[in-house]
Amino acid sequence: MKHAGPHSADQNGFETMGIREDIDAIVKSGDVVLFMKGTPQFPQCGFSGQVVQILDHVGVPFKGVNVLENDAVRQGIKDYANWPTIPQLYIKGEFVGGCDIVREMFQAGELTTFLEEKGVAIRDRAIG
């Protein structure tokens, strides 16, 4: 018999129960996933905006997940990575870090190398 309890889902399809499983599925749903405040088009915090700018500059397509749309995801992603802040960047399902780590990797030239090692396609920045 199926459980017909008070499960509710938000617009992204997150169940309020089993949030860890939902987050795990999202982390693994794309090569590059950024849990952030706001959207890639409209970041709602400076740190999220910095990571978006870095990813755009590197030329890597990514999926943005707006934690402001769901409190369970906002807290759940912190528990998932045991990392207290947002944004959080995942590459091929692996937690990379927050804004400071991503910025340091980018400035040291390590972010592009890491993406290439993981087999993530990077757009040719000379185009457009």
Side-chain angles (χ1 to χ4, degrees):
M1 183 172 166
K2 286 188 175 182
H3 176 71
H7 286 253
S8 63
D10 72 2
Q11 62 198 28
N12 291 317
F14 294 114
E15 292 281 336
T16 51
M17 309 297 287
I19 193 68
R20 185 170 183 83
E21 292 80 11
D22 289 342
I23 289 172
D24 191 56
I26 293 166
V27 163
K28 295 172 180 169
S29 70
D31 285 350
V32 182
V33 179
L34 178 64
F35 286 81
M36 61 180 295
K37 293 179 181 177
T39 65
Q41 296 78 21
F42 298 104
Q44 294 184 16
C45 89
F47 299 114
S48 293
Q50 285 182 40
V51 176
V52 167
Q53 286 181 332
I54 289 168
L55 294 174
D56 285 346
H57 182 79
V58 168
V60 64
F62 67 97
K63 176 179 185 172
V65 179
N66 184 357
V67 301
L68 299 177
E69 292 178 351
N70 185 308
D71 285 338
V73 172
R74 186 176 188 171
Q75 183 56 48
I77 194 62
K78 294 176 185 180
D79 297 337
Y80 181 86
N82 196 23
W83 189 261
T85 58
I86 294 166
Q88 292 185 16
L89 181 66
Y90 293 81
I91 297 175
K92 294 283 189 167
E94 182 181 331
F95 176 60
V96 176
C99 181
D100 290 346
I101 291 171
V102 172
R103 186 175 53 236
E104 289 168 13
M105 288 178 71
F106 171 69
Q107 289 171 342
E110 297 169 359
L111 184 59
T112 303
T113 304
F114 185 76
L115 288 161
E116 289 169 349
E117 286 172 356
K118 291 290 186 179
V120 176
I122 297 174
R123 292 187 299 263
D124 184 348
R125 289 168 302 211
I127 298 174

